[in-house]
Amino acid sequence: MAICNLCPPGRREHPDAAMADHLRTAHPEVGEDGTRKADDSTIVTDASLESAPEPTT
Ligand SMILES: [Zn+2]
């Protein structure tokens, strides 16, 4: 799964295979690699750590 940080909380998870198409259709201003074309900041993160416990401070 991939996380789309541009989507509202609870609707951010998308299958990896569908992520590029999602970005292209839902967020046309964002590049297919998950970066905003404007500033190259990464907006798609790997969800592989999703089940990891919350870091404690
Ligand atoms: Zn999205």
Side-chain angles (χ1 to χ4, degrees):
M1 297 292 279
I3 299 296
C4 178
N5 291 334
L6 297 180
C7 283
R11 296 184 56 190
R12 291 179 171 177
E13 293 188 7
H14 303 280
D16 290 338
M19 196 63 199
D21 193 56
H22 167 77
L23 288 173
R24 189 163 46 241
T25 56
H27 313 291
E29 78 281 11
V30 177
E32 289 186 21
D33 61 353
T35 60
R36 284 185 187 278
K37 293 177 181 176
D39 62 8
D40 287 341
S41 63
T42 300
I43 57 100
V44 177
T45 57
D46 188 341
S48 62
L49 300 179
E50 194 170 57
S51 61
E54 291 288 324
T56 55
T57 53

